[in-house]
Amino acid sequence: MDFLICRMKRIVILSGAGMSAESGLKTFRDSDGLWENHNVYDVATPEAFARDPELVLNFYNERRLQVLEAEPNKAHLALADLEKHFHVTIITQNIDNLHERAGSTRVLHLHGEIDLARSSIDASLIYPLNGSQINIGDTCEKGSQLRPHIVWFGEPVPMIEEAIPIVELADILMVIGTSLAVYPAAGLVNYAPHFADKFYIDPNGMDGVNIHNFNVIAKKAGDGVPELVMRLLE
Ligand code: APR
């Protein structure tokens, strides 16, 4: 007997800060974004942490409180719904846990996670924070100061090796709420198969974004994502 092998279509999402904007979390490069109010080199580099660890820890302690108060928005919830009918993998540049809290089960954080701490001398020592702060004097089991488990500018992005083959297998690629300004994350879009259906959801459209063959949905994620999910689930 021939069995019909009907593989679930694979949907891969690459999300950025715009995904969480309607949950009240600031983006980086919009007006009044995080990088407008903070100098990256004071709060998001290994040199900054070496120079003024307390300033860096407080920057992320503030963002952690904001993430705790935020709720998944309609876009996060719609992506979680997709899992009923598709094999969905979310590759996010975001350090919040809103995709997981919306119910998505396959989420890869390229730039780390706000609710995890790690040893500053042994990257394999990672500790859940469960919403608590990291303060000067909080140390790992080897006695070194804890740091946020976040990829800072100038640091390697270890998860990119896991992300590339996922994008290479996509039947559908959705790029949501990212300026594609930061590599290697932005380079992932080039690994999608030529036959994949590609969508770019951003209220600014693709202004200044140099990628091709994408269906552009120039809407906020909270509107554009549920609409696209509805179309795909029909
Ligand atoms: N819905 C969808 N997109 C939105 C919304 C919204 N409601 N609001 C803003 N955007 C879009 C903006 O138009 C912009 O294109 O989200 C994008 C946000 O871009 P950035 O602020 O550059 O954020 P992101 O692309 O995630 O930054 C990538 O840079 O600073 C590093 O590590 C940091 O992960 C971050 C990386």
Side-chain angles (χ1 to χ4, degrees):
M1 178 195 290
D2 290 340
F3 287 94
L4 176 68
I5 310 287
C6 59
R7 172 175 73 77
M8 278 175 113
K9 274 202 167 186
R10 290 176 179 273
I11 299 185
V12 179
I13 287 103
L14 174 62
S15 67
M19 183 82 210
S20 301
E22 290 154 272
S23 296
L25 298 179
K26 282 190 172 185
T27 64
F28 293 94
R29 296 171 183 84
D30 286 319
S31 55
D32 191 33
L34 279 166
W35 298 149
E36 236 177 54
N37 303 311
H38 297 86
N39 182 329
V40 175
Y41 299 98
D42 292 341
V43 292
T45 63
E47 295 77 13
F49 187 63
R51 185 172 56 245
D52 188 345
E54 195 157 13
L55 177 71
V56 172
L57 292 177
N58 288 339
F59 174 70
Y60 287 98
N61 285 340
E62 274 170 45
R63 293 182 63 199
R64 191 172 304 106
L65 288 176
Q66 288 154 14
V67 168
L68 282 176
E69 285 156 17
E71 291 295 327
N73 62 53
K74 291 183 291 181
H76 295 106
L77 296 167
L79 293 183
D81 279 347
L82 271 181
E83 292 194 6
K84 293 176 190 141
H85 301 280
F86 295 91
H87 181 282
V88 181
T89 307
I90 297 179
I91 299 169
T92 187
Q93 300 170 86
N94 299 339
I95 58 175
D96 65 55
N97 55 2
L98 296 177
H99 282 302
E100 292 90 336
R101 285 165 54 194
S104 291
T105 60
R106 214 173 281 108
V107 182
L108 189 154
H109 288 267
L110 285 177
H111 296 162
E113 298 179 59
I114 191 73
D115 210 24
L116 294 177
R118 79 161 185 256
S119 163
S120 49
I121 56 166
D122 179 346
S124 68
L125 299 178
I126 298 170
Y127 307 92
L129 285 166
N130 301 315
S132 60
Q133 307 291 53
I134 308 178
N135 298 306
I136 295 292
D138 293 346
T139 58
C140 74
E141 55 215 70
K142 293 185 175 176
S144 90
Q145 173 65 47
L146 288 181
R147 57 163 279 180
H149 182 53
I150 303 276
V151 176
W152 285 328
F153 285 93
E155 294 188 316
V157 180
M159 299 301 276
I160 199 72
E161 299 310 325
E162 191 175 327
I164 289 171
I166 292 170
V167 178
E168 287 176 328
L169 287 175
D171 297 303
I172 296 171
L173 174 67
M174 289 187 200
V175 177
I176 307 170
T178 175
S179 61
L180 292 177
V182 168
Y183 285 78
L188 281 173
V189 298
N190 302 314
Y191 288 92
H194 66 279
F195 59 74
D197 291 325
K198 304 177 187 78
F199 299 90
Y200 185 86
I201 301 177
D202 190 310
N204 287 344
M206 290 185 90
D207 292 355
V209 178
N210 184 22
I211 54 175
H212 310 292
N213 306 322
F214 274 75
N215 300 284
V216 181
I217 301 173
K219 294 187 176 179
K220 290 185 171 186
D223 300 321
V225 175
E227 280 173 23
L228 177 55
V229 166
M230 195 108 63
R231 272 165 48 194
L232 293 171
L233 290 179
E234 267 162 11

